[in-house]
Amino acid sequence: MTYDMTHRELGALWQTLGTNDAVHGLYYLTMKAVFALCSAPAVSPALGDADPLLVLRLPSVLSMAAAAAGVALLGRRLAGARAGLLAGVVFALLPPVQRFAQEGRSYAMVCALVVWATYALARAAGAGRRGPWTVYAALMLTACLLHEFALLALPAHGLTLRRAARRPWILAAAAVAAGTAPLAVVSQRQSAQVSWLEGSSLTTGSAGLIALGIGCAAFLARVRERRQHSGHGAGAGELALPVGLLVLPTLVLLLVSLVEPLYVDRYVLYSQAGLALLVGAALDRAARGTRPRAVAVAVTGAAVVLTLLPFSVQLRTPQSRIDDTTAVARAVREAGAPGDGLLYTPLRRRVWTLPYAGAAAGLSDLALARDPASSHTLYGTEVSAGVLRARMLRRDRIVVAGDPAAPATGSADASGLEAVKRDTLDAHFEACRSWHPRGARVTLYARPGQC
């Protein structure tokens, strides 16, 4: 989706954002500029021939690197240099962080901005000057314009501040909310885009990571009670900020989802910074009671690396993805021959082949009325039911790219086109062969007896 949107003309992209995906508008504009830079040899000869996939992912990689550095500095400020270093390393190794460092979406950028905004907040709260508060507001506003759910970090910040810092925080938060309000209004009008969310709940992995963070916080609280705060451990205020960042954004989004399903773990990816801070501080505190300390830190660090290594390796395989678009495009190309029809079920699956110009070469997209770019939509517009049925009946062979399982009976389809696709295929065609790339099913249909 990012690749297709960022390769549209600026005017067409702007028109699309007026009706679709406004929540990612700033990210698309940013990535459009990145692609323009990398395709301009006069400006950057070394990047002129860069792999588009590399260009797509590089900003996320750099953003997560910046986020890890921010976590390390924040941890140093809250709990000491060694705790900060451990927190930065833990953050870089967390499976959600590694996953979205590879994705061509806005979440890594949002995470980096929220982390650095949190660091600016920690400085502002102790400085009493206007400058750090301005930096905090600017970073948070940029994060919210990249994805409006960055707003959920504000409660985590505000509720963990001392009384003296609350007034300037309220002013900064109000400015951020006011700046984000126009985007929130527009994206609310486009809420049908998340209609695929039928329910919202924590995944087992997300729940486990939150439980790990809470366990580390409980350990640190017990240590604080026994030893009193020594200047290097985790005091009450120093625990509150990472705990709030870990728990509150997720909790708020889950509560909102009781009214309308909205929770997806990537929307609050920045909460992983809170987890890393707690784990880093806990490892540091555990090592303080062991001699020699360097050996203790090395052993605990190695244990963390070995624990997370299998997840890291698995994330770099196609099996870690919901779908494998490269394999889907390859299957469509293998299944079809020039002159065959092509259907996507449902229509949003058209994005599978958009980045691969040759995948559908020679095939006729039977349901397509206008392509995504010219219709200023994400997936294109489709013809009426009667026209679609007539087009299908004029073909002897049709390639169907769709979900791996048939949709549930009564699933939402306001146009009725998905039913027309299924009913016409069942009545006039038979399945000849199927391919099963990850997260999809590509099937070649032909007239009875012609397989």
Side-chain angles (χ1 to χ4, degrees):
M1 179 62 67
T2 300
Y3 183 87
D4 175 63
M5 291 287 279
T6 55
H7 282 73
R8 299 184 185 187
E9 294 295 331
L10 187 59
L13 174 59
W14 188 255
Q15 286 183 276
T16 303
L17 295 176
T19 55
N20 297 276
D21 233 14
V23 68
H24 294 299
L26 179 58
Y27 175 70
Y28 291 144
L29 291 170
T30 301
M31 290 303 298
K32 186 171 182 64
V34 171
F35 273 104
L37 175 66
C38 294
S39 62
V43 176
S44 183
L47 296 175
D49 297 323
D51 183 347
L53 192 59
L54 172 64
V55 177
L56 188 67
R57 292 179 172 179
L58 186 59
S60 293
V61 174
L62 295 177
S63 294
M64 280 307 190
V71 168
L73 287 174
L74 183 57
R76 177 179 181 177
R77 187 174 188 89
L78 294 178
R82 185 167 55 197
L85 177 61
L86 288 169
V89 172
V90 168
F91 178 83
L93 292 174
L94 290 173
V97 170
Q98 294 205 7
R99 175 187 171 187
F100 288 100
Q102 307 172 48
E103 298 282 346
R105 300 300 280 174
S106 65
Y107 308 110
M109 289 185 183
V110 173
C111 182
L113 287 164
V114 171
V115 166
W116 279 96
T118 307
Y119 178 68
L121 174 74
R123 295 193 62 185
R129 300 192 307 272
R130 183 178 300 178
W133 286 110
T134 303
V135 172
Y136 167 72
L139 289 171
M140 279 302 303
L141 179 58
T142 306
C144 293
L145 292 177
L146 278 169
H147 197 283
E148 61 190 306
F149 284 163
L151 278 169
L152 299 177
L154 289 177
H157 292 158
L159 293 176
T160 57
L161 287 174
R162 294 182 175 89
R163 185 184 300 274
R166 287 178 185 170
R167 184 176 181 277
W169 173 83
I170 290 172
L171 294 175
V176 172
T180 311
L183 174 63
V185 171
V186 173
S187 62
Q188 177 60 32
R189 295 171 184 166
Q190 301 173 7
S191 58
Q193 286 183 228
V194 292
S195 60
W196 54 272
L197 280 172
E198 297 179 355
S200 295
S201 61
L202 280 175
T203 64
T204 302
S206 296
L209 291 175
I210 291 175
L212 172 62
I214 292 174
C216 289
F219 166 73
L220 291 166
R222 287 196 300 271
V223 170
R224 178 178 58 84
E225 290 174 0
R226 287 198 310 265
R227 296 187 173 184
Q228 299 301 316
H229 181 46
S230 65
H232 298 284
E238 294 159 340
L239 272 176
L241 183 57
V243 170
L245 195 59
L246 172 64
V247 175
L248 282 177
T250 298
L251 179 61
V252 172
L253 194 54
L254 284 171
L255 290 175
V256 171
S257 295
L258 295 175
V259 179
E260 180 180 357
L262 286 175
Y263 175 78
V264 181
D265 55 2
R266 61 180 177 268
Y267 293 167
V268 289
L269 178 64
Y270 49 83
S271 66
Q272 298 300 309
L275 171 61
L277 290 167
L278 291 168
V279 174
L283 290 175
D284 174 56
R285 177 53 65 183
R288 286 172 182 267
T290 307
R291 295 285 189 263
R293 291 182 182 178
V295 174
V297 172
V299 170
T300 54
V304 172
V305 171
L306 291 175
T307 300
L308 295 176
L309 185 61
F311 298 99
S312 177
V313 172
Q314 194 269 341
L315 281 168
R316 285 157 175 76
T317 66
Q319 289 70 33
S320 68
R321 298 295 189 265
I322 296 174
D323 51 34
D324 184 347
T325 58
T326 302
V328 173
R330 188 185 308 118
V332 169
R333 186 166 55 246
E334 182 179 345
D340 289 348
L342 174 63
L343 289 175
Y344 296 93
T345 59
L347 71 90
R348 66 177 181 273
R349 298 310 182 197
R350 189 170 281 111
V351 299
W352 278 337
T353 57
L354 286 177
Y356 309 98
L363 304 182
S364 177
D365 191 337
L366 301 179
L368 186 66
R370 297 179 65 192
D371 64 69
S374 65
S375 63
H376 310 307
T377 62
L378 300 181
Y379 316 116
T381 57
E382 297 195 326
V383 297
S384 65
V387 172
L388 174 59
R389 188 173 187 277
R391 287 183 179 183
M392 292 178 67
L393 293 176
R394 286 198 293 267
R395 302 287 170 169
D396 291 327
R397 290 168 28 119
I398 297 175
V399 177
V400 178
D403 294 332
T409 303
S411 60
D413 176 22
S415 67
L417 287 180
E418 299 307 315
V420 171
K421 295 172 187 177
R422 293 193 302 270
D423 294 345
T424 306
L425 288 170
D426 291 343
H428 301 279
F429 296 83
E430 62 182 12
C432 300
R433 182 184 173 189
S434 289
W435 291 255
H436 298 276
R438 185 166 185 81
R441 179 173 59 184
V442 177
T443 303
L444 173 62
Y445 286 85
R447 296 286 187 170
Q450 296 186 25
C451 285

